[in-house]
């Protein structure tokens, strides 16, 4: 460099030297020395008054910085964090090519991602983590991120990284916006941008969520939801990882979107343990022993109700789509969780002292009963055909004694109707006898009385009982025909549909028609 060189030429020379030194660094120690020496003055050049310097910084240095990030991370996470921080600063000064333009199409090749897909995956993955990241001095980690993830994004000991007005600091939210726009460019494939796009789409700020929504709508058309690594990645973000330094579960808004994606993947239905964990943690509060390990975001308000509704949709989807060998494993576990959830609200009477009696809670209770019916229908051998008829007895007791409201009672009736088919085949003698006794018992109950289990009867179960008898007990069964006579004879309420069902059961022709599939 000579004294006659212009300031612009000197600045260009500095940028060129840094590019060369980064490219030729042969060890972690040399790279660390280069970054300590040249990074501060280089960052100043991002705001250079000369456009040629700014362009060289972004156009020529950007590919050099991302080159080898994946391999550098294995050697030194701290050095890679510094390079990633430099990369983010360069993005702020990079003019992205228009979507769909020739420059956009060749952008991936220009960055070197075409030949170094590991670097492309690395960059997209960490940009996704950046979108999930939030600075919070009281917590070492964020929903969806581990302690180490957060330390990396904070550039470890650099307290000024996300203080916009500090020396070398940046605005976290504006960096997320720029990162999302970069992800939407031709630099990445739909598979590489899929998860980050999903993360962005769940953000509370519409500036970011709109970019994420747009990316997601395009990416999901080409991405295979049967990709094992993608499905496992979705489960990991949703549930988090165990341990005090592992990642926390995602926020409810993102969990809701993840479940909606999982409901479109056949492969996702085979993860029995994870499905049970989702239902368990989504419907039941964590006990005191778990809180210090998995202190995830509180599920409250509108986000909570949306997530809970999606969990029930997920359960119903599992019952429909799972392979027989998988449903045999998960159905009993899920039904147990759903029963525990309903009983935790108060059973058979909703506990208004412990919980706020709201439309959201009653809707969840209704969906719980319906899901139990669907799962039981999908796995009758495990859930219904035990000699004690435990689950069927519980459903009938719920119908007679759950006083939550009409919508809930309709869901219980739907659950009972769902499982009728499980008893349509010939039953062994003991099971038929126990079913007969159960149905006769429910024909004898009167509203306002207390049944043998000391449960207050608030609703007649006569129609459900006579309908069950006509469809599940053989015509030769004398008690079944007695149930029909009791239905016709009626009691104080004498409902028309009960009488009509009793008449059908006594008519050999109608009985045969009702059971034509046997």
């Amino acid at each position: 460099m000579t004294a006659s060189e212009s300031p612009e030429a000197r600045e260009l020379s500095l940028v060129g030297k840094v590019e060369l030194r980064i490219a030729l660094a042969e060890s972690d120690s040399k790279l660390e020395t280069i970054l300590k020496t040249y990074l501060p003055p280089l960052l100043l050049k991002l705001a250079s008054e000369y456009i040629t310097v700014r362009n060289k910084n972004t156009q020529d240095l950007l590919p050099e910085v991302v080159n080898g990030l994946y391999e550098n991370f294995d050697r030194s996470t701290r050095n890679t964090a510094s390079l990633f921080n430099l990369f983010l600063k360069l993005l702020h000064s990079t003019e992205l090519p228009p979507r769909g333009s020739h420059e956009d199409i060749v952008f991936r090749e220009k960055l070197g991602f075409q030949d170094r897909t590991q670097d492309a995956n690395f960059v997209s993955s960490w940009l996704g983590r950046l979108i999930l990241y939030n600075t919070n001095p009281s917590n070492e980690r964020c929903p969806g991120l581990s302690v180490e993830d957060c330390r990396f994004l904070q550039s470890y000991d650099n307290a000024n990284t996300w203080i916009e007005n500090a020396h070398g600091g940046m605005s976290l939210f504006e960096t997320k916006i720029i990162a999302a726009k970069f992800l939407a460019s031709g630099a990445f494939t739909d598979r590489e941008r899929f998860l980050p796009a999903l993360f962005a789409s769940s953000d509370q700020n519409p500036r970011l969520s709109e970019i994420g929504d747009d990316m997601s709508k395009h990416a999901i058309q080409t991405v295979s939801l049967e990709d094992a690594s993608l499905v496992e990645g979705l489960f990991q973000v949703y549930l988090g990882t165990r341990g005090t330094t592992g990642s926390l579960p995602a926020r409810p808004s993102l969990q809701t979107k993840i479940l909606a994606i999982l409901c479109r993947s056949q492969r996702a239905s085979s993860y029995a343990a994870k499905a049970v964990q989702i239902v368990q943690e989504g419907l039941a509060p964590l006990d005191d022993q778990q809180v210090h390990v998995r202190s995830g975001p509180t599920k409250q308000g509108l986000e909570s109700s949306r997530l809970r509704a999606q969990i029930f949709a997920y359960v119903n989807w599992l019952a429909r789509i799972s392979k027989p060998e998988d449903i045999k494993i998960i159905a009993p576990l899920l039904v147990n969780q759903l029963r525990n959830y309903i009983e935790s609200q108060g059973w058979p009477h909703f506990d208004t002292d412990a919980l706020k009696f709201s439309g959201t809670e009653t809707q969840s209770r209704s969906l719980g009963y319906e899901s139990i019916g669907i799962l039981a229908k999908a796995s009758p051998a495990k859930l219904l055909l035990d000699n004690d008829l435990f689950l069927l007895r519980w459903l009938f007791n719920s119908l007679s004694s759950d006083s939550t409201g009409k919508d809930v009672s309709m869901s219980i009736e739907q659950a009972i109707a769902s499982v009728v088919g499980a008893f349509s085949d010939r039953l062994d003698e003991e099971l038929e006898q126990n079913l007969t006794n159960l149905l006769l018992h429910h024909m004898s109950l009167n509203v306002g009385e207390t049944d043998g289990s000391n449960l207050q009867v608030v609703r007649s179960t006569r129609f459900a009982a006579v309908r069950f008898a006509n469809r599940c007990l053989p015509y030769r069964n004398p008690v079944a025909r007695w149930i029909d006579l009791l239905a016709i004879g009626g009691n104080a309420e004498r409902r028309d549909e009960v009488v009509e069902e009793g008449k059908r059961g006594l008519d050999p022709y109608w009985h045969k028609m009702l059971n034509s599939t046997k």
Side-chain angles (χ1 to χ4, degrees):
M1 183 181 301
T2 64
S4 60
E5 282 186 315
S6 67
E8 180 178 2
R10 286 196 295 270
E11 291 187 14
L12 285 170
S13 176
L14 171 63
V15 175
K17 285 181 178 179
V18 174
E19 289 179 18
L20 183 61
R21 289 175 183 271
I22 290 177
L24 296 178
E26 298 176 350
S27 65
D28 294 340
S29 58
K30 287 184 178 180
L31 179 60
E32 184 175 2
T33 301
I34 292 169
L35 292 175
K36 286 182 178 179
T37 305
Y38 289 97
L39 188 56
L42 179 65
L43 293 177
L44 292 176
K45 302 310 174 189
L46 293 176
S48 172
E49 61 180 296
Y50 305 110
I51 189 171
T52 54
V53 177
R54 298 198 300 271
N55 287 343
K56 186 171 182 59
N57 243 324
T58 56
Q59 295 176 8
D60 297 342
L61 188 55
L62 195 63
E64 290 297 336
V65 170
V66 298
N67 181 13
L69 278 180
Y70 173 79
E71 294 179 356
N72 288 334
F73 184 81
D74 289 337
R75 294 197 300 266
S76 173
T77 55
R78 286 181 175 270
N79 286 346
T80 309
S82 296
L83 286 170
F84 188 73
N85 182 266
L86 170 59
F87 160 72
L88 294 177
K89 288 182 169 68
L90 290 170
L91 276 187
H92 278 271
S93 302
T94 300
E95 184 177 348
L96 297 174
R99 292 281 299 274
S101 65
H102 173 73
E103 291 79 6
D104 187 49
I105 294 172
V106 300
F107 195 28
R108 180 179 179 84
E109 184 177 355
K110 183 177 180 181
L111 291 172
F113 287 164
Q114 190 71 34
D115 299 321
R116 300 192 310 273
T117 55
Q118 288 181 323
D119 285 336
N121 279 311
F122 179 89
V123 172
S124 64
S125 174
W126 277 102
L127 289 179
R129 290 178 173 92
L130 174 70
I131 289 169
L132 293 176
Y133 181 66
N134 281 298
T135 55
N136 188 341
S138 62
N139 290 326
E140 292 184 316
R141 51 185 175 161
C142 307
L145 300 179
S146 68
V147 171
E148 184 61 23
D149 291 339
C150 294
R151 294 180 65 203
F152 181 93
L153 291 169
Q154 187 63 40
S155 296
Y156 291 94
D157 301 327
N158 188 350
N160 294 335
T161 299
W162 302 115
I163 300 177
E164 185 176 4
N165 297 324
H167 178 69
M170 293 178 284
S171 162
L172 176 58
F173 181 71
E174 291 303 324
T175 304
K176 289 183 180 184
I177 295 291
I178 292 168
K181 291 179 178 179
F182 180 57
L183 284 162
S185 74
F188 300 95
T189 65
D190 284 337
R191 175 62 182 86
E192 290 163 354
R193 67 167 66 92
F194 183 76
L195 285 180
L198 188 64
F199 302 162
S201 71
S202 71
D203 196 87
Q204 295 179 343
N205 192 303
R207 285 184 61 202
L208 184 54
S209 63
E210 287 174 5
I211 300 173
D213 281 333
D214 183 61
M215 279 194 287
S216 295
K217 289 175 184 177
H218 287 88
I220 202 166
Q221 296 177 21
T222 61
V223 170
S224 171
L225 299 181
E226 305 308 316
D227 180 345
S229 64
L230 175 60
V231 172
E232 289 166 8
L234 289 167
F235 276 120
Q236 180 173 320
V237 174
Y238 184 103
L239 293 167
T241 54
R242 299 293 179 179
T244 55
T245 61
S247 60
L248 291 175
R251 289 186 176 83
S253 58
L254 178 53
Q255 288 180 321
T256 302
K257 285 182 173 287
I258 289 175
L259 279 185
I261 297 294
L262 291 175
C263 285
R264 301 172 65 172
S265 167
Q266 175 73 49
R267 180 181 288 274
S269 67
S270 64
Y271 292 77
K274 295 186 186 301
V276 173
Q277 187 180 349
I278 285 173
V279 175
Q280 179 181 18
E281 297 185 2
L283 300 184
L286 298 174
D287 58 45
D288 292 338
Q289 188 177 9
Q290 289 178 302
V291 168
H292 74 282
V293 177
R294 294 178 58 78
S295 52
T298 304
K299 300 180 177 69
Q300 296 177 343
L302 183 59
E303 284 187 1
S304 173
S305 63
R306 286 175 176 169
L307 174 58
R308 194 168 295 159
Q310 188 62 55
I311 287 174
F312 287 116
Y314 174 62
V315 169
N316 295 348
W317 170 80
L318 284 172
R320 293 193 311 272
I321 202 73
S322 297
K323 296 178 181 178
E325 58 268 27
D326 293 326
I327 200 67
K328 286 179 182 178
I329 297 172
I330 64 175
L333 298 171
L334 293 177
V335 166
N336 185 56
Q337 291 297 332
L338 292 166
R339 277 189 55 250
N340 288 342
Y341 170 71
I342 291 172
E343 291 178 357
S344 73
Q345 292 181 317
W347 184 90
H349 304 296
F350 191 94
D351 189 354
T352 54
D353 292 332
L355 294 169
K356 183 180 179 182
F357 192 80
S358 66
T360 298
E361 291 295 338
T362 55
Q363 182 188 33
S364 296
R365 193 176 183 90
S366 293
L367 291 170
Y369 280 120
E370 292 173 17
S371 298
I372 287 173
I374 293 171
L375 287 165
K377 177 184 178 181
S379 185
K382 293 277 188 179
L383 290 165
L384 294 169
L385 300 179
D386 59 294
N387 284 330
D388 292 335
L389 296 170
F390 175 80
L391 183 59
L392 184 64
R393 197 179 304 275
W394 183 82
L395 286 171
F396 266 96
N397 286 341
S398 298
L399 183 60
S400 68
S401 300
D402 192 317
S403 58
T404 310
K406 183 178 179 181
D407 289 342
V408 172
S409 69
M410 291 175 63
S411 293
I412 302 171
E413 289 176 345
Q414 182 177 328
I416 292 175
S418 296
V419 303
V420 167
F423 297 87
S424 61
D425 293 332
R426 184 179 295 275
L427 307 176
D428 65 53
E429 185 176 344
E430 183 179 1
L431 185 58
E432 182 180 325
Q433 184 61 53
N434 290 341
L435 178 59
T436 302
N437 293 340
L438 172 64
L439 299 177
L440 183 61
H441 168 71
H442 278 276
M443 287 299 295
S444 67
L445 297 181
N446 294 304
V447 175
E449 298 178 350
T450 302
D451 74 358
S453 302
N454 203 33
L455 297 175
Q456 184 74 25
V457 178
V458 299
R459 185 180 303 104
S460 173
T461 53
R462 290 167 63 83
F463 178 71
V466 69
R467 188 173 185 272
F468 219 96
N470 287 343
R471 285 158 177 76
C472 302
L473 296 176
Y475 191 77
R476 58 175 168 73
N477 186 312
V479 180
R481 305 291 68 80
W482 175 242
I483 288 173
D484 289 323
L485 289 171
L486 290 174
I488 295 171
N491 58 6
E493 60 173 316
R494 190 174 174 83
R495 289 160 53 189
D496 290 343
E497 66 267 26
V498 178
V499 174
E500 184 63 30
E501 189 66 33
K503 290 179 179 179
R504 288 180 178 180
L506 288 175
D507 188 317
Y509 171 77
W510 273 107
H511 190 277
K512 184 177 181 180
M513 292 293 292
L514 289 172
N515 298 277
S516 59
T517 58
K518 285 189 177 180

